[in-house]
Amino acid sequence: MPADAPTILATSIGFSSRNRSQLDWAPGPIFPYAFELARTSGRPKLCYIGTATGDAATYISAFYGAFADHDVTTSHLALFTMPNMENVRAHLLSQDVIWVGGGSTANLLAVWRVHGLDRILRECWESGVVLGGVSAGSLCWHESGTTDSFGPELAAITNGLAFLPYSNCAHYDSEVRRRPVFHELIGNGTIGAGYATEDGVGIHYRGTEFVEAVADRADVYGYRVERGDDGTVTETTITPRQL
Protein backbone atom coordinates (compact mmCIF):
# COMPACT_ATOMS: atom_id res chain seq x y z
CA MET A 1 0.00 0.00 0.00
CA PRO A 2 1.27 3.53 -0.69
CA ALA A 3 1.45 6.22 1.97
CA ASP A 4 -2.02 7.48 2.85
CA ALA A 5 -1.06 11.06 1.88
CA PRO A 6 1.70 12.72 -0.13
CA THR A 7 4.80 12.35 2.07
CA ILE A 8 8.25 13.90 2.08
CA LEU A 9 11.19 13.34 4.45
CA ALA A 10 13.54 16.31 4.04
CA THR A 11 16.69 15.64 6.03
CA SER A 12 20.24 16.32 7.04
CA ILE A 13 20.47 12.59 7.73
CA GLY A 14 22.89 10.62 5.63
CA PHE A 15 23.79 6.98 5.81
CA SER A 16 25.51 5.72 8.94
CA SER A 17 29.06 4.42 8.67
CA ARG A 18 30.38 0.98 9.54
CA ASN A 19 33.70 2.77 10.20
CA ARG A 20 35.70 0.59 7.84
CA SER A 21 36.01 3.15 5.04
CA GLN A 22 34.48 6.48 4.01
CA LEU A 23 31.88 4.86 1.76
CA ASP A 24 31.20 1.77 3.84
CA TRP A 25 27.63 2.85 4.50
CA ALA A 26 24.95 1.36 6.71
CA PRO A 27 21.29 2.36 6.59
CA GLY A 28 20.26 4.49 9.55
CA PRO A 29 16.88 4.59 11.31
CA ILE A 30 15.44 7.08 8.81
CA PHE A 31 14.89 4.20 6.37
CA PRO A 32 12.66 2.00 8.57
CA TYR A 33 10.75 5.18 9.38
CA ALA A 34 10.31 5.88 5.65
CA PHE A 35 9.15 2.31 5.03
CA GLU A 36 6.66 2.67 7.88
CA LEU A 37 5.25 5.87 6.35
CA ALA A 38 5.01 4.08 2.99
CA ARG A 39 2.96 1.37 4.72
CA THR A 40 5.04 -1.35 3.14
CA SER A 41 4.08 -4.93 3.72
CA GLY A 42 6.80 -7.47 3.11
CA ARG A 43 9.94 -6.45 1.29
CA PRO A 44 10.04 -2.65 0.71
CA LYS A 45 11.17 -1.22 -2.61
CA LEU A 46 13.72 1.57 -2.40
CA CYS A 47 15.18 3.54 -5.32
CA TYR A 48 18.25 5.76 -4.95
CA ILE A 49 18.74 8.81 -7.19
CA GLY A 50 22.28 10.21 -7.27
CA THR A 51 21.91 12.93 -9.91
CA ALA A 52 23.37 15.55 -7.56
CA THR A 53 26.77 13.84 -7.73
CA GLY A 54 26.54 13.08 -11.45
CA ASP A 55 25.49 9.47 -10.76
CA ALA A 56 28.94 8.78 -9.29
CA ALA A 57 29.54 5.05 -9.31
CA THR A 58 31.15 5.13 -5.86
CA TYR A 59 27.99 6.45 -4.21
CA ILE A 60 25.74 4.07 -6.11
CA SER A 61 27.92 1.16 -5.02
CA ALA A 62 27.89 2.41 -1.43
CA PHE A 63 24.08 2.52 -1.53
CA TYR A 64 23.84 -1.09 -2.68
CA GLY A 65 26.45 -2.14 -0.14
CA ALA A 66 24.49 -0.51 2.67
CA PHE A 67 21.46 -2.69 2.00
CA ALA A 68 23.25 -5.87 0.92
CA ASP A 69 22.26 -7.73 4.08
CA HIS A 70 18.81 -6.15 4.53
CA ASP A 71 15.44 -7.38 3.33
CA VAL A 72 14.97 -4.47 0.93
CA THR A 73 14.57 -4.47 -2.86
CA THR A 74 17.01 -1.82 -4.03
CA SER A 75 17.43 -0.06 -7.35
CA HIS A 76 18.86 3.18 -8.65
CA LEU A 77 17.99 5.67 -11.33
CA ALA A 78 20.94 7.07 -13.27
CA LEU A 79 20.57 9.79 -15.91
CA PHE A 80 24.22 9.98 -17.05
CA THR A 81 24.99 9.40 -19.82
CA MET A 82 21.45 8.27 -20.51
CA PRO A 83 18.67 6.85 -18.32
CA ASN A 84 19.53 3.35 -17.15
CA MET A 85 15.97 2.07 -17.57
CA GLU A 86 13.49 2.21 -20.42
CA ASN A 87 10.44 3.34 -18.47
CA VAL A 88 11.54 5.70 -15.72
CA ARG A 89 7.99 6.71 -14.82
CA ALA A 90 6.73 3.16 -14.36
CA HIS A 91 9.72 2.20 -12.24
CA LEU A 92 9.50 5.16 -9.91
CA LEU A 93 5.75 4.82 -9.49
CA SER A 94 6.27 1.20 -8.41
CA GLN A 95 8.57 2.15 -5.52
CA ASP A 96 7.71 2.49 -1.85
CA VAL A 97 10.45 5.04 -1.14
CA ILE A 98 12.64 7.20 -3.38
CA TRP A 99 15.80 8.52 -1.70
CA VAL A 100 17.77 11.40 -3.24
CA GLY A 101 21.43 11.86 -2.36
CA GLY A 102 23.29 15.09 -1.70
CA GLY A 103 25.48 17.12 -4.01
CA SER A 104 24.69 19.96 -6.41
CA THR A 105 21.06 21.04 -6.09
CA ALA A 106 21.29 23.37 -9.08
CA ASN A 107 22.62 20.65 -11.38
CA LEU A 108 20.11 18.13 -10.05
CA LEU A 109 17.18 20.44 -10.83
CA ALA A 110 18.44 21.25 -14.33
CA VAL A 111 19.00 17.62 -15.29
CA TRP A 112 15.71 16.46 -13.80
CA ARG A 113 13.79 19.07 -15.78
CA VAL A 114 15.49 18.13 -19.04
CA HIS A 115 14.32 14.53 -18.50
CA GLY A 116 10.85 15.44 -17.21
CA LEU A 117 11.68 13.93 -13.84
CA ASP A 118 10.16 16.93 -12.05
CA ARG A 119 6.74 15.93 -13.39
CA ILE A 120 7.27 12.23 -12.73
CA LEU A 121 8.32 12.82 -9.13
CA ARG A 122 5.30 15.02 -8.49
CA GLU A 123 3.13 12.18 -9.76
CA CYS A 124 4.95 9.76 -7.47
CA TRP A 125 4.45 12.10 -4.49
CA GLU A 126 0.76 12.54 -5.22
CA SER A 127 0.40 8.75 -5.62
CA GLY A 128 1.81 8.00 -2.16
CA VAL A 129 5.42 7.09 -2.96
CA VAL A 130 7.45 8.48 -0.05
CA LEU A 131 10.05 10.98 -1.26
CA GLY A 132 13.11 11.59 0.86
CA GLY A 133 16.69 12.67 0.78
CA VAL A 134 19.60 14.42 2.38
CA SER A 135 21.06 17.89 1.71
CA ALA A 136 20.33 18.50 -2.00
CA GLY A 137 17.84 15.66 -1.60
CA SER A 138 16.13 17.78 1.07
CA LEU A 139 16.32 21.20 -0.56
CA CYS A 140 15.04 20.07 -3.98
CA TRP A 141 11.44 19.51 -2.78
CA HIS A 142 11.14 23.08 -1.47
CA GLU A 143 10.69 26.44 -3.18
CA SER A 144 14.08 27.81 -2.23
CA GLY A 145 17.01 27.71 0.15
CA THR A 146 20.77 27.99 0.52
CA THR A 147 23.20 26.17 -1.75
CA ASP A 148 26.89 25.83 -2.51
CA SER A 149 26.08 24.65 -6.04
CA PHE A 150 27.61 27.78 -7.55
CA GLY A 151 30.81 27.89 -5.49
CA PRO A 152 32.12 27.79 -1.93
CA GLU A 153 30.21 30.94 -0.95
CA LEU A 154 26.62 30.06 -0.11
CA ALA A 155 23.97 31.56 -2.37
CA ALA A 156 20.23 31.49 -2.76
CA ILE A 157 18.48 28.99 -4.98
CA THR A 158 14.91 29.95 -5.83
CA ASN A 159 13.79 27.46 -8.49
CA GLY A 160 13.19 24.35 -6.41
CA LEU A 161 10.45 21.89 -7.32
CA ALA A 162 8.15 23.71 -4.86
CA PHE A 163 6.21 20.62 -3.82
CA LEU A 164 6.63 22.25 -0.39
CA PRO A 165 5.88 26.00 -0.13
CA TYR A 166 8.83 26.78 2.13
CA SER A 167 12.54 27.49 2.05
CA ASN A 168 14.98 24.89 3.38
CA CYS A 169 18.46 24.78 4.86
CA ALA A 170 20.37 21.59 5.63
CA HIS A 171 23.59 21.25 7.69
CA TYR A 172 22.45 24.13 9.89
CA ASP A 173 24.99 23.43 12.62
CA SER A 174 27.92 21.84 10.80
CA GLU A 175 28.66 24.56 8.22
CA VAL A 176 29.36 27.90 9.87
CA ARG A 177 27.76 30.11 7.18
CA ARG A 178 24.50 28.17 6.82
CA ARG A 179 22.59 29.85 9.66
CA PRO A 180 23.59 33.50 9.00
CA VAL A 181 23.06 33.23 5.25
CA PHE A 182 19.65 31.57 5.72
CA HIS A 183 18.65 34.39 8.09
CA GLU A 184 19.96 37.04 5.72
CA LEU A 185 18.09 35.67 2.70
CA ILE A 186 14.83 35.37 4.62
CA GLY A 187 15.30 38.79 6.18
CA ASN A 188 15.83 40.58 2.86
CA GLY A 189 12.97 38.71 1.18
CA THR A 190 15.07 36.74 -1.30
CA ILE A 191 13.51 33.52 0.01
CA GLY A 192 10.47 32.90 2.13
CA ALA A 193 10.03 31.40 5.57
CA GLY A 194 11.09 27.83 5.99
CA TYR A 195 12.69 25.02 7.94
CA ALA A 196 16.29 24.20 8.80
CA THR A 197 17.80 20.97 10.07
CA GLU A 198 20.96 20.29 12.00
CA ASP A 199 22.94 17.22 10.97
CA GLY A 200 21.03 14.16 12.12
CA VAL A 201 17.59 15.78 11.85
CA GLY A 202 14.83 15.32 9.29
CA ILE A 203 11.38 16.81 8.81
CA HIS A 204 8.29 14.80 7.92
CA TYR A 205 5.73 16.60 5.78
CA ARG A 206 2.25 15.22 5.15
CA GLY A 207 1.01 16.94 2.03
CA THR A 208 2.49 20.40 2.51
CA GLU A 209 2.03 20.44 6.28
CA PHE A 210 4.77 19.97 8.87
CA VAL A 211 4.13 16.83 10.93
CA GLU A 212 7.21 16.35 13.08
CA ALA A 213 10.97 16.50 13.22
CA VAL A 214 12.88 13.26 13.80
CA ALA A 215 16.52 12.58 14.60
CA ASP A 216 19.01 9.74 14.41
CA ARG A 217 20.96 11.02 17.44
CA ALA A 218 20.50 13.05 20.63
CA ASP A 219 20.96 16.81 21.16
CA VAL A 220 20.23 17.98 17.62
CA TYR A 221 17.36 20.20 16.49
CA GLY A 222 15.21 21.52 13.70
CA TYR A 223 14.12 25.13 13.28
CA ARG A 224 11.29 27.19 11.86
CA VAL A 225 12.75 30.45 10.52
CA GLU A 226 10.56 33.35 9.39
CA ARG A 227 10.55 37.09 8.81
CA GLY A 228 8.40 39.44 10.84
CA ASP A 229 6.56 42.48 9.53
CA ASP A 230 9.40 44.68 10.74
CA GLY A 231 11.98 42.66 8.79
CA THR A 232 13.48 40.90 11.79
CA VAL A 233 14.06 37.17 11.54
CA THR A 234 12.85 34.83 14.25
CA GLU A 235 14.01 31.28 14.80
CA THR A 236 11.84 28.76 16.66
CA THR A 237 13.56 25.60 17.87
CA ILE A 238 11.88 22.27 17.10
CA THR A 239 12.86 19.38 19.35
CA PRO A 240 12.83 16.20 17.25
CA ARG A 241 11.67 12.75 18.21
CA GLN A 242 14.66 10.43 18.29
CA LEU A 243 14.19 7.39 16.07
Side-chain angles (χ1 to χ4, degrees):
M1 297 174 65
D4 61 0
T7 300
I8 288 175
L9 288 174
T11 85
S12 291
I13 302 177
F15 284 85
S16 302
S17 173
R18 294 189 175 95
N19 298 315
R20 293 179 296 197
S21 69
Q22 184 179 3
L23 291 173
D24 187 21
W25 292 352
I30 194 67
F31 291 100
Y33 180 57
F35 300 149
E36 177 186 337
L37 294 176
R39 304 196 298 171
T40 56
S41 57
R43 190 178 176 95
K45 292 180 287 186
L46 171 66
C47 184
Y48 171 78
I49 302 181
T51 316
T53 51
D55 295 324
T58 50
Y59 292 108
I60 294 169
S61 296
F63 164 73
Y64 282 113
F67 287 96
D69 56 355
H70 289 72
D71 193 24
V72 177
T73 300
T74 51
S75 62
H76 77 281
L77 170 63
L79 298 175
F80 293 92
T81 54
M82 66 181 71
N84 64 326
M85 54 188 68
E86 287 190 16
N87 194 329
V88 171
R89 176 180 175 273
H91 182 77
L92 294 182
L93 281 167
S94 73
Q95 300 303 298
D96 295 305
V97 177
I98 295 169
W99 186 263
V100 179
S104 172
T105 308
N107 292 352
L108 171 153
L109 291 168
V111 173
W112 280 6
R113 285 175 169 134
V114 165
H115 288 272
L117 203 63
D118 52 339
R119 298 187 299 273
I120 293 171
L121 287 169
R122 175 173 282 277
E123 187 177 359
C124 291
W125 176 59
E126 292 172 345
S127 299
V129 179
V130 172
L131 306 181
V134 57
S135 195
S138 172
L139 174 54
C140 64
W141 315 116
H142 297 77
E143 287 184 341
S144 58
T146 60
T147 184
D148 56 6
S149 296
F150 307 110
E153 295 298 322
L154 290 174
I157 191 163
T158 58
N159 66 334
L161 296 180
F163 297 0
L164 301 169
Y166 315 109
S167 61
N168 180 245
C169 183
H171 311 305
Y172 206 51
D173 60 333
S174 61
E175 297 181 12
V176 67
R177 290 292 297 156
R178 289 282 180 174
R179 181 182 252 115
V181 171
F182 196 49
H183 280 227
E184 178 185 348
L185 293 173
I186 290 175
N188 65 25
T190 301
I191 63 177
Y195 293 91
T197 51
E198 294 183 347
D199 284 0
V201 178
I203 293 175
H204 169 204
Y205 297 96
R206 179 182 171 89
T208 59
E209 299 300 317
F210 171 92
V211 176
E212 67 171 342
V214 295
D216 67 359
R217 66 198 72 172
D219 301 321
V220 288
Y221 301 94
Y223 300 89
R224 169 71 175 172
V225 185
E226 49 200 333
R227 180 182 185 272
D229 293 338
D230 61 355
T232 59
V233 174
T234 60
E235 180 182 275
T236 304
T237 301
I238 303 168
T239 301
R241 177 173 64 86
Q242 190 168 349
L243 297 171

